[in-house]
């Protein structure tokens, strides 16, 4: 490893000792930078690595709210503005009991490069809370969102920081957050949040964008080997927003999605999952995936089992970080899997990525493959700014073009530095160069 990289990593480790996910995300990017550092001494001369790994700002705040039983609940809120080199901070908010500063920082750091890859003028940020919306009533979720925004509204704005959704935050939560923002500020600043319900200024295709985008990326990647999704057997982990629309697009392109999951286990449906049932369970009833076999003959629920034990040609991890381990990667390879495309953020452990690469399986990192969500968020900002609403076909077409553009950037940089088919390398280098150049151009800020 380049000495400047290892020195920066050592310092980072010493300053952030309990932030293993953040350090994992940084290490993955830094491991790709050797050839860039060798040909661009300015990166070290201008302390770009030190600057790119220290968030511009980090906000933590108390969120007090009253539950249905009249008890006062206290959660913690976060918003990390990591880099505004390319534009206002942009990135989702996660409501999940596992959220802590380490999680928000790793997600915000990844977001810098993902947003850079889209080619749209957006910086990197992320936020959230350890609030768990599962099992909470609608009014509890609303009161929590109102309390959260009461603090957050001081820090957001269409030219400063534009949050969106992530795990546990969908159109319902964004609607409540926007309502409270409007009430507090007396302003209808549509551009302050994305992922809004369509009636409140949201964009068509935003709901579908991350999942569809991952499949568009997969299509481009498979095409480099003369393959398509047609006739392929696919597994998708998770059953939330990203997983559902990833599965829908994969099936629309002729694949058979045979397994999905949630945090309690997986469903296996060899005939192909009926996604209307999954959508009803997850989007309407907010029920567990274990209910699925009760409505579908020939399928079964596998408690505590992951989708990776089920034979497939292509896998889309779309649930959460570090869910696909080395053992899972080995199982996928033994079963003949030819490609893994990350719909989630950093779902594949580093040694699992290495194992897939060794056996020549294609691997697409989330910062490239799941950039469709933030890309359509930026299109939502464009529509809000111009007081326009584009139709489904227009937005979907732009999404396809953006995903194809990200794919060609990955291919270009991996080819240029003699690392063919290394999409992790290609995405890191393509994302890094734009941000590094911008940081240098601003002077010392
Ligand atoms: P959702 O909250 O809609 O869904 C998350 C899904 O993952 C749920 O089905 C959840 O199940 C499941 N899950 C969580 N932990 C596990 C686990 N350990 N094993 C199996 N399943 C699990 O979130 P999203 O779909 O929005 O986000 C999923 C991933 O995609 C995250 O990594 C997110 O950061 C990333 N992402 C999301 C974007 C977006 O536009 N929404 C954009 C880019 C990336 P349960 O209900 O049991 O918890």
């Amino acid at each position: 490893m380049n000495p400047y990289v290892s020195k920066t990593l050592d310092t980072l480790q010493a300053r952030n000792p309990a932030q293993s996910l953040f350090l994992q995300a940084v290490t993955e990017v830094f491991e790709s930078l050797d050839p860039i550092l060798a040909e661009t001494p300015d990166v070290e001369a201008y302390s770009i690595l030190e600057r790119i790994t220290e968030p511009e700002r980090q906000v933590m705040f108390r969120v007090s709210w009253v539950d249905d039983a009249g008890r006062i609940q206290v959660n913690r809120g976060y918003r990390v503005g990591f880099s505004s080199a390319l534009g206002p901070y942009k990135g989702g908010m996660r409501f999940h009991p596992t959220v802590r500063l380490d999680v928000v920082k790793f997600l915000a750091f990844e977001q810098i490069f993902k947003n850079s890859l889209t080619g749209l003028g957006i910086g990197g940020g992320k936020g959230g809370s350890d609030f768990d919306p599962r099992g909470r009533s609608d009014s509890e979720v609303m009161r929590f969102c109102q309390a959260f925004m009461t603090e957050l509204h001081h820090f957001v704005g269409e030219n400063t920081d534009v949050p969106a959704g992530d795990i546990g935050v969908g159109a319902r939560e964004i609607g409540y957050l926007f309502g409270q923002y409007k009430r507090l500020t007396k302003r209808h600043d549509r551009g302050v949040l994305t992922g809004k319900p369509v009636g409140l200024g949201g964009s068509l295709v935003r709901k579908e964008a991350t999942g569809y985008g991952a499949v568009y990326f997969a299509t481009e990647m498979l095409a480099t080997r003369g393959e398509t999704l047609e006739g392929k057997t696919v597994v998708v982990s998770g059953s939330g927003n990203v997983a559902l629309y990833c599965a829908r697009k994969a099936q629309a392109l002729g694949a058979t999605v045979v397994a999905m999951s949630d945090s309690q286990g997986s469903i296996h449906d060899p005939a192909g999952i009926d996604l209307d049932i999954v959508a009803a369970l997850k989007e309407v009833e907010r029920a567990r995936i274990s209910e699925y076999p009760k409505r579908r003959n020939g399928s079964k629920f596998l408690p505590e089992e992951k989708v990776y034990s089920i034979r497939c040609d292509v896998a889309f991890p779309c649930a959460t970080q570090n869910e696909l381990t080395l053992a899972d990667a080995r199982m996928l390879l033994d079963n003949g899997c030819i490609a893994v495309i990350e719909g989630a953020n950093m779902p594949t452990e580093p040694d699992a990525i290495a194992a897939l690469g060794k056996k020549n399986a294609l691997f697409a990192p989330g910062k490239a493959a799941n950039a469709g969500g933030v890309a359509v968020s930026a299109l939502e900002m464009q529509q809000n700014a111009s007081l326009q609403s584009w139709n489904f076909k227009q937005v979907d077409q732009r999404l396809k073009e953006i995903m194809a553009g990200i794919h060609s950037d990955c291919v270009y940089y991996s080819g240029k530095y003699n690392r063919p088919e290394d999409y992790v390398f290609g995405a890191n280098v393509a994302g890094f160069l734009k941000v590094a150049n911008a940081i240098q151009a601003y002077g010392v800020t």
Side-chain angles (χ1 to χ4, degrees):
M1 190 181 275
N2 177 294
Y4 172 45
V5 166
S6 37
K7 191 181 86 197
T8 312
L9 277 177
D10 287 347
T11 311
L12 210 59
Q13 165 93 50
R15 296 181 83 191
N16 306 281
Q19 298 183 352
S20 58
L21 290 168
F22 171 55
L23 294 166
Q24 180 184 335
V26 174
T27 305
E28 191 223 84
V29 172
F30 279 15
E31 279 174 351
S32 299
L33 297 182
D34 273 8
I36 303 300
L37 296 170
E39 70 180 27
T40 322
D42 277 358
V43 173
E44 184 168 2
Y46 286 85
S47 300
I48 301 291
L49 298 189
E50 292 88 332
R51 289 200 271 166
I52 216 169
T53 48
E54 186 63 24
E56 289 172 14
R57 70 178 189 193
Q58 307 178 65
V59 188
M60 283 170 65
F61 49 94
R62 188 182 69 203
V63 188
S64 309
W65 57 283
V66 179
D67 69 16
D68 285 347
R71 276 189 300 269
I72 297 170
Q73 299 285 341
V74 177
N75 288 100
R76 191 174 285 172
Y78 302 85
R79 188 72 190 164
V80 171
F82 219 119
S83 169
S84 59
L86 297 182
Y89 308 124
K90 182 85 200 84
M93 286 178 307
R94 178 177 289 191
F95 291 171
H96 195 270
T98 56
V99 168
R100 53 187 201 276
L101 186 59
D102 179 27
V103 173
V104 180
K105 275 181 74 178
F106 113 68
L107 290 166
F109 183 75
E110 286 277 290
Q111 198 81 41
I112 304 172
F113 306 99
K114 181 190 309 194
N115 293 2
S116 164
L117 282 168
T118 66
L120 304 162
I122 40 181
K126 203 84 186 187
S129 172
D130 57 358
F131 170 71
D132 189 354
R134 288 170 304 184
R136 290 289 179 190
S137 70
D138 236 25
S139 22
E140 287 181 314
V141 170
M142 181 185 72
R143 285 197 296 279
F144 173 80
C145 288
Q146 291 176 339
F148 184 85
M149 184 50 93
T150 300
E151 189 59 30
L152 187 72
H153 87 280
H154 295 297
F155 306 102
V156 295
E158 54 199 329
N159 293 312
T160 49
D161 188 353
V162 186
D166 190 81
I167 292 180
V169 180
R172 173 183 66 165
E173 289 73 19
I174 296 287
Y176 294 150
L177 291 163
F178 188 38
Q180 182 71 353
Y181 175 87
K182 195 167 71 61
R183 176 158 79 170
L184 291 166
T185 60
K186 310 290 175 230
R187 291 172 63 90
H188 203 290
D189 292 330
R190 291 187 159 200
V192 79
L193 286 165
T194 60
K196 298 181 289 295
V198 172
L200 304 185
S203 175
L204 291 171
V205 196
R206 177 60 189 88
K207 182 172 73 166
E208 295 85 356
T210 309
Y212 277 21
V215 175
Y216 294 150
F217 194 93
T219 306
E220 297 283 335
M221 193 166 82
L222 288 169
T224 63
R225 290 198 185 169
E227 296 274 6
T228 68
L229 276 170
E230 174 92 47
K232 296 279 186 303
T233 300
V234 165
V235 300
V236 178
S237 72
S239 47
N241 171 263
V242 178
L244 181 60
Y245 291 97
C246 171
R248 277 213 190 277
K249 185 51 80 176
Q251 289 206 345
L253 295 180
T256 306
V257 178
V258 296
M260 293 180 78
S261 61
D262 66 17
S263 55
Q264 294 178 349
S266 301
I267 51 168
H268 183 202
D269 188 342
I273 289 183
D274 183 332
L275 294 168
D276 290 339
I277 298 178
V278 177
L281 287 172
K282 289 297 183 175
E283 289 192 322
V284 183
E285 300 166 39
R286 298 182 189 275
R288 311 303 313 167
I289 198 95
S290 53
E291 293 295 307
Y292 179 90
K294 296 179 192 158
R295 303 184 192 182
R296 175 89 168 162
N297 290 336
S299 68
K300 57 183 175 204
F301 178 63
L302 310 163
E304 291 180 23
E305 202 159 310
K306 297 184 194 174
V307 294
Y308 310 116
S309 59
I310 293 159
R311 200 210 77 73
C312 68
D313 303 306
V314 179
F316 289 90
C318 293
T320 195
Q321 61 271 8
N322 288 339
E323 51 155 306
L324 198 166
T325 62
L326 177 59
D328 298 324
R330 287 188 176 137
M331 242 180 317
L332 286 169
L333 291 165
D334 287 348
N335 285 332
C337 176
I338 58 165
V340 173
I341 298 96
E342 293 189 331
N345 282 311
M346 212 169 75
T348 315
E349 291 192 339
D351 49 4
I353 299 176
L356 292 166
K358 266 188 209 135
K359 294 280 171 160
N360 212 22
L362 288 166
F363 175 78
K367 65 171 73 72
N370 73 28
V374 74
V376 172
S377 274
L379 301 182
E380 183 175 330
M381 290 161 75
Q382 288 180 20
Q383 292 171 74
N384 292 157
S386 60
L387 300 177
Q388 288 180 339
S389 301
W390 304 342
N391 65 36
F392 194 97
K393 208 168 146 198
Q394 282 173 299
V395 183
D396 193 33
Q397 185 54 33
R398 283 287 290 127
L399 171 63
K400 259 187 216 157
E401 289 162 7
I402 291 167
M403 297 314 296
I406 296 174
H407 180 267
S408 9
D409 278 356
C410 293
V411 170
Y412 172 78
Y413 283 104
S414 51
K416 179 173 174 187
Y417 292 101
N418 210 17
R419 303 270 291 259
E421 293 199 334
D422 188 342
Y423 285 83
V424 173
F425 176 86
N428 285 337
V429 170
F432 174 82
L433 284 175
K434 233 179 286 171
V435 185
N437 289 337
I439 291 176
Q440 188 176 338
Y442 285 120
V444 181
T445 59

